[in-house]
Amino acid sequence: MHQNDTHARLDAVAKTVTTVKEVRAAKKNTLLLHAGDVFSGTLYFNEFYGQADVAFMNLMGVDAFVLGNHEFDLGSSATGHKGLADFLKAAKFPTVAANVDASKDEHIAPLQSRTVSASPTDGRIYDAVIQTIGSEKVGIFGLTTAETANISSPGSIAFENYIEAAKATVKKLQAQGVNKIIALTHIGYDDNASVDNDQQLAKLVAGIDIIVGGHTHTQLDVPVAVAAEHDADDEPTIIVQAYQHNDFLGTLDVSFDAKGVITKHDGQLLPIAERAEDEQAKALLESYQTRVNEIANEPIGVTLANALPNPRLSDPSPESVRANETILGNLITEGMLLKAQSLNPNVVLAFQNGGGIRQPIDAGEVTVGEVISVLPFGNTLAFAQVTGTELYKTFEHALKEVPKESGGFLHVAGGRVTYDASKPAGSRVVSIETLVDGEYELLPNGDETYIVATNAFTAKGGDGFTDLGNVYADGRVQDLGLSDWENFRDYLVREKDRIPTEVRGTLVS
Ligand code: ATP
């Protein structure tokens, strides 16, 4: 059984527990695997930092878990990866990560053991584990996408080459007499092949029988068999992935011969919505739901006549928040600018990464829950002292590929950035100006320095902003520790009468 990318969508989890129990009742030798991205997505995460999710994973008896990119989302918060460490400590199942080096992280390093472990039942991180199913040994190793360095906040945690890590770990498992091997991956089914994906893994690494994947939220209604590109192993590798959230429980039945070669396989995605709720799980869920509903429904004191849409399209298009400024993005950056300038009047611009704006806000009364869902990452306000050259390079990066899959398109307040999309990437920015007393003033591309405001994720170089990453490494970023969603809430409440003209019409009180 397998799930992936559940993203704290716990409202249906009691039905998942029922489904898992049904499968266990029908079949003898089972494994339950989670292919990563438990963190981030709903108020269950913002309130309980993964503790609610791990309680259900323990309840349903997960056998192994791989770290997804979102498991590193708390890295830019004040407590760093303590939330992930607490999740791992609470887990009654092992985590597998053969290409993750956390030796430099104070919270995670003590929990990682770069070994192959037989039947661990704690939440430590191993390269691989060997579980005994019936009388047979099954090796399970984990791989996490190298994209994590750009799209989340791993800090000093490094991601090694996944092909090399896979080859080395398969060898170690085989050396221990294991001939049934599962790669539990969070690298995507068909994601950017130049970085990593499951199909490349299947083609390039011999000895893997099954890949249980996540990351691309792919709905593989039936398992896919991929032939290897080498002679040594003519057995195809079976790939499965179960879409997202708590929509499905994936199943894959496999039979092996004495040599560990798959002789038969059959798999499907079982829809969760149709199941009844498991009573024990329902009771556990209620203990979290009460608090989540309280936050979700608490009004902030602003009512919108119209919704503030946020088209975060999975297939980036010109309408996407990742390619255009939106009213919601303008409000967030305006709120950021006013806060920043109240602390330092020399701030010339504020900008927010489009990928960090996660949800729309509906028309009607705005609730605390909605505001947190828009800005869920626990980001704080940061100042960066940048040269004109660094600022222009930052916007060249933001405009490199529009629309783009990453969330690095920047929404701007306090000035304007003029660009020519017909020019080659790297030479698109025409000018960057700051607004002073209603007049635009050029910020020249050169050595002069400016203070800009953004969120801590972007200021530290997230989304591949390497120039900002260098500014951070150089000690020129100041993290003010002020929560982005709280500032946005306060801005909406305080400034509702002086919201910029083009959006004022959406506010009725
Ligand atoms: P999904 O979230 O649907 O599983 P995914 O894992 O590929 O998909 P995206 O939805 O593309 O991730 O989200 C990654 C984007 O989220 C990054 O490119 C970045 O813009 C944004 N992001 C990640 N962490 C933070 C953060 N701490 N602060 C602000 N933005 C962030």
Side-chain angles (χ1 to χ4, degrees), residues 5 7 37 39-40 69-70 72-77 145 147 150-153 186 191 215-217 244-245 312 314 322 352-358 375-379 405-409 455-458 462-463 484:
D5 299 274
H7 282 299
D37 271 10
F39 279 19
S40 296
N69 51 295
H70 281 282
F72 299 92
D73 283 352
L74 292 174
S76 61
S77 70
T145 179
E147 281 178 347
N150 283 335
I151 65 175
S152 186
S153 308
H186 195 86
D191 214 16
H215 187 42
T216 38
H217 302 222
Q244 62 178 6
H245 305 163
R312 185 167 76 92
S314 54
R322 297 184 178 202
Q352 160 76 39
N353 64 326
I357 310 171
R358 305 295 285 193
L375 296 170
F377 287 114
N379 261 313
E405 192 186 345
S406 108
F409 181 85
N455 62 43
F457 173 79
T458 307
D463 275 325
D484 58 353

Side-chain angles (χ1 to χ4, degrees), residues 70 151 310-326 353-358 377 398 401-411 463:
H70 281 282
I151 65 175
N310 186 52
R312 185 167 76 92
L313 305 177
S314 54
D315 176 16
S317 78
E319 293 84 51
S320 167
V321 73
R322 297 184 178 202
N324 289 283
E325 294 192 285
T326 62
N353 64 326
I357 310 171
R358 305 295 285 193
F377 287 114
E401 184 203 324
V402 177
K404 54 169 47 179
E405 192 186 345
S406 108
F409 181 85
L410 296 177
H411 296 233
D463 275 325

